[in-house]
Amino acid sequence: MKIIFAGTPEFAASALAALIQTDHEIVAVYTQPDRKSGRGQKLTASAVKQLALTHDLPVYQPLHFKASTEEGLAAQQELAALGADVMVVAAYGLILPQSILDTPKYGCLNIHGSLLPRWRGAAPIQRAIATGDTETGVTIMKMAAGLDTGDMLYKTLCPITTMDTSASLYEKLATQGAQAICTVLESEQKLLQYLEAREVQDEQFTVYAHKLTKAEAQIDWRKSAIEIDRTIRAFNPWPVAFTPIDESNNLRIWNATISNVIANGEDVGTIIEMDKQGVHVVCGKGVVCLTSLQWPGGKAVNPVQIIQGHKLSVGHQFA
């Protein structure tokens, strides 16, 4: 089949890499325009673009597909001229109008990092961890005009462990997503079978994964140790959980575990022990052990380095 692929980050690049290994013809790769990144603010190509160029695949980077503008209309016509059988979309980052969804012979298929209809939206992996879900997965769906509302063709399951961060779960789901889309697109006949058997999402089970904000990464020590541990894992690697250390600086918290140390009536946010396991802090319920911290201008440090740094001590209370 002739495939158009649309995606931007590493999650999408995993799927593109898998499709490149199949017998399908990838007629075009769509990705977000190059963005400035890093300290030097240099224009950087997306992970998908870098992979596509390595394999000499044609790359398109329209700003949008809005028919109300000449640029958007031209982008629509350019895509239609490719004559694709199907378009695969994974974390692309652009809204696709109905005209685009209807252009390929079999429509557009999306690789979504959750078990739809749970966690529709921008941050399904992070929200699943923060909420305490014990499993997630990947859903391949036929895209519709709404936000992740399309009919479901195929699902995979992935347990969420108590050690998983968004980074580790992201990698697991990227692998599953690549395998899943190749399963659905094994052949044109297989795709038709999945399309014929597709399942409509049950709206009563819909949960939205709203976009992450830096503000919500601030630790509220009044919450339970379990909730705080989830928050820390959910916001690793972005925006990274933090707690203020003075009026203008924050201490970033990269990793933590639930502590076995028992609080004895100390106020929430108080450090009650520091050892080779980490920094044990009283929470609204239970104690959390901080295992990787980063001070402003420095690198993330482990428990031994934290003790050697003498920047924290037993009795210190975080706000």
Side-chain angles (χ1 to χ4, degrees):
M1 288 185 289
K2 296 172 70 175
I3 296 175
I4 294 172
F5 186 88
T8 299
E10 288 289 348
F11 182 89
S14 296
L16 176 58
L19 288 171
I20 288 171
Q21 299 304 313
T22 68
D23 293 330
H24 300 302
E25 179 188 0
I26 300 174
V27 296
V29 172
Y30 280 75
T31 191
Q32 288 267 0
D34 297 358
R35 308 290 188 195
K36 291 181 179 179
S37 66
R39 291 185 178 180
Q41 288 295 285
K42 294 181 179 179
L43 277 178
T44 304
S46 71
V48 163
K49 180 179 179 179
Q50 293 178 46
L51 178 62
L53 293 177
T54 299
H55 291 273
D56 297 320
L57 298 174
V59 175
Y60 297 80
Q61 296 177 277
L63 293 174
H64 57 77
F65 291 97
K66 297 176 183 176
S68 58
T69 68
E70 288 187 14
E71 184 180 39
L73 191 59
Q76 288 193 24
Q77 294 169 345
E78 190 173 49
L79 188 146
L82 294 167
D85 293 307
V86 66
M87 181 169 174
V88 174
V89 182
Y92 181 25
L94 286 188
I95 295 174
L96 301 180
Q98 191 65 48
S99 57
I100 292 293
L101 300 182
D102 294 337
T103 294
K105 182 179 179 180
Y106 298 117
C108 298
L109 303 184
N110 180 245
I111 306 171
H112 186 75
S114 82
L115 298 174
L116 290 172
R118 185 169 180 81
W119 301 127
R120 292 177 180 172
I125 295 173
Q126 296 90 337
R127 298 301 178 194
I129 293 175
T131 305
D133 290 2
T134 57
E135 71 174 4
T136 185
V138 166
T139 303
I140 305 297
M141 67 173 171
K142 188 174 190 298
M143 294 178 71
L147 179 63
D148 299 328
T149 57
D151 294 348
M152 303 176 293
L153 277 67
Y154 186 81
K155 287 184 177 182
T156 67
L157 292 178
C158 179
I160 302 176
T161 74
T162 56
M163 299 299 290
D164 270 320
T165 63
S166 288
S168 65
L169 195 55
Y170 183 97
E171 291 181 5
K172 294 177 185 178
L173 294 183
T175 299
Q176 286 196 0
Q179 294 169 343
I181 194 62
C182 288
T183 297
V184 172
L185 297 178
E186 180 181 335
S187 66
E188 190 168 6
Q189 183 181 3
K190 277 286 187 181
L191 173 58
L192 287 169
Q193 290 174 359
Y194 280 113
L195 287 170
E196 181 67 25
R198 64 185 185 269
E199 178 186 357
V200 176
Q201 294 188 40
D202 190 335
E203 293 295 328
Q204 68 174 320
F205 297 115
T206 298
V207 182
Y208 283 96
H210 297 288
K211 188 176 180 179
L212 302 180
T213 66
K214 290 184 179 181
E216 65 182 313
Q218 180 172 348
I219 297 298
D220 181 353
W221 298 104
R222 296 169 297 180
K223 292 185 176 181
S224 70
I226 290 175
E227 290 175 292
I228 290 172
D229 171 60
R230 289 174 186 163
T231 297
I232 293 167
R233 290 187 290 113
F235 292 123
N236 176 348
W238 193 91
V240 186
F242 68 90
T243 189
I245 49 177
D246 56 44
E247 292 184 358
S248 57
N249 291 296
N250 297 319
L251 177 63
R252 304 177 90 189
I253 305 171
W254 284 92
N255 282 302
T257 61
I258 304 300
S259 173
N260 292 322
V261 177
I262 298 174
N264 191 28
E266 296 89 351
D267 292 335
V268 297
T270 301
I271 298 174
I272 57 172
E273 191 168 320
M274 292 176 61
D275 55 25
K276 63 182 181 180
Q277 273 71 50
V279 178
H280 303 261
V281 184
V282 177
C283 307
K285 182 179 180 181
V287 177
V288 70
C289 179
L290 312 180
T291 59
S292 180
L293 303 176
Q294 182 181 11
W295 274 266
K299 297 180 179 179
V301 292
N302 62 36
V304 172
Q305 293 168 320
I306 293 169
I307 293 172
Q308 293 172 341
H310 301 292
K311 292 182 179 180
L312 296 174
S313 59
V314 172
H316 176 88
Q317 185 176 11
F318 294 119

